[in-house]
């Protein structure tokens, strides 16, 4: 079956620090990969996505590259802000399966001023 | 604002009861997905509808059922509720069946006492 593994949190950082959240996946088929973010008390927002190998998704200073050889999709941001404090979810979907999302366990990130 | 609406925002009920959660997809979106977010199970896919028809089922209990109506809104029915059903229930929508980008609603928080 399909699964997503991401590093457990919480990850606590100071403002302007570099953020990396590791994500690896197993999939039967060729998945699309996503990062979703959940701010406190809110729903899920799509942060970025990549649909094929070597694609780089980027948004709001966050980046992730689809690495088929290592089955990974690590999220990075060069300089975090307090407003980036949230829970981040890595996910995959497969078109042939209707694109239902399979999520990782989520990583809570806390950025301190 | 994703354009996906869910009602009610909060729901508190007792064990053994039945509740209905409602979702209105983004204008023009034909596909609706339901997900459950709980502390022990994380985020998991429940069921998908496309243009009124069930298309995929995930880890949905037999006590749960859903439907999508001709106006494309969807309802998730939860019956014989147990304490363990307490969770956040999200609805997401996408344009077509095979489209990979899903837009999430704000969720309904269900508390079973």
């Amino acid at each position: 079956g399909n699964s997503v593994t991401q590093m457990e949190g919480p990850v606590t950082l100071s403002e302007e620090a570099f953020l990396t959240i590791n994500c690896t996946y197993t999939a039967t088929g060729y998945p699309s990969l996503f990062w979703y973010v959940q701010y406190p008390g809110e729903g899920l927002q799509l942060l970025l996505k990549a649909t094929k190998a070597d694609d780089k998704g980027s948004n709001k200073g966050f980046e992730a590259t689809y690495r088929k050889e290592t089955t990974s999709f690590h999220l990075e941001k060069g300089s975090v802000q307090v407003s980036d404090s949230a829970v981040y979810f890595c996910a995959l979907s497969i078109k042939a399966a209707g694109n239902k999302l399979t999520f990782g366990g989520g990583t809570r990130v806390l950025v301190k001023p | 604002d994703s354009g996906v609406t869910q009602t009610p925002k909060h729901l508190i009920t007792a064990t053994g009861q039945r509740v209905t959660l409602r979702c209105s997809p983004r204008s023009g979106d034909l596909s609706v997905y339901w997900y459950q977010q709980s502390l022990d199970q994380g985020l998991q896919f429940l069921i998908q509808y496309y243009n009124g028809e069930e298309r995929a089922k995930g880890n949905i209990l037999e006590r749960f059922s859903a439907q999508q109506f001709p106006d494309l809104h969807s309802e998730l029915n939860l019956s014989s509720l147990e304490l363990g059903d307490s969770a956040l229930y999200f609805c997401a929508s996408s344009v077509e069946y095979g489209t990979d980008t899903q837009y999430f609603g704000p969720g309904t928080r269900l508390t079973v006492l």
Side-chain angles (χ1 to χ4, degrees):
Chain A
N2 303 323
S3 67
V4 176
T5 303
Q6 60 182 106
M7 58 190 289
E8 289 190 21
V11 175
T12 304
L13 302 163
S14 297
E15 211 165 17
E16 298 184 2
F18 185 86
L19 170 68
T20 299
I21 304 176
N22 290 337
C23 169
T24 57
Y25 67 90
T26 58
T28 51
Y30 198 79
S32 294
L33 301 174
F34 307 84
W35 278 99
Y36 279 84
V37 58
Q38 186 176 29
Y39 296 104
E42 297 185 14
L44 292 162
Q45 298 177 26
L46 177 64
L47 183 58
L48 53 84
K49 70 175 187 180
T51 57
K52 61 183 187 295
D54 299 324
D55 265 4
K56 178 185 282 188
S58 61
N59 186 26
K60 299 180 181 179
F62 290 90
E63 293 183 340
T65 301
Y66 190 143
R67 300 288 187 201
K68 191 177 179 186
E69 64 276 11
T70 55
T71 61
S72 65
F73 193 55
H74 305 321
L75 183 68
E76 297 181 337
K77 186 174 185 182
S79 177
V80 294
Q81 305 300 313
V82 172
S83 57
D84 294 324
S85 298
V87 181
Y88 293 81
F89 292 92
C90 186
L92 67 83
S93 71
I94 296 179
K95 188 171 183 175
N99 277 318
K100 61 181 184 288
L101 289 162
T102 299
F103 287 93
T107 302
R108 183 175 299 277
V109 173
L110 177 61
V111 181
K112 296 187 174 180
Chain B
D1 185 356
S2 67
V4 179
T5 60
Q6 290 187 247
T7 57
K9 192 169 183 178
H10 300 279
L11 199 48
I12 301 174
T13 188
T15 54
Q17 295 299 304
R18 173 190 168 93
V19 297
T20 296
L21 313 183
R22 181 186 170 106
C23 167
S24 293
R26 293 187 322 154
S27 177
D29 283 2
L30 299 177
S31 198
V32 169
Y33 305 77
W34 286 97
Y35 294 87
Q36 179 195 57
Q37 184 179 30
S38 62
L39 283 175
D40 53 346
Q41 302 280 354
L43 258 167
Q44 56 177 357
F45 166 73
L46 294 179
I47 198 164
Q48 177 197 12
Y49 279 81
Y50 174 72
N51 205 19
E53 292 188 9
E54 181 186 304
R55 283 301 187 100
K57 253 184 176 178
N59 299 321
I60 187 166
L61 299 171
E62 285 191 13
R63 300 183 285 108
F64 296 0
S65 64
Q67 53 185 328
Q68 186 179 26
F69 295 86
D71 67 353
L72 301 176
H73 91 272
S74 178
E75 293 180 357
L76 179 66
N77 301 295
L78 316 176
S79 62
S80 303
L81 285 167
E82 302 175 359
L83 295 178
D85 298 327
S86 296
L88 254 177
Y89 291 85
F90 287 109
C91 166
S93 72
S94 66
V95 174
E96 290 286 343
Y97 173 70
T99 304
D100 58 14
T101 300
Q102 296 177 29
Y103 297 89
F104 280 76
T108 294
R109 181 171 294 281
L110 173 66
T111 302
V112 182
L113 301 175

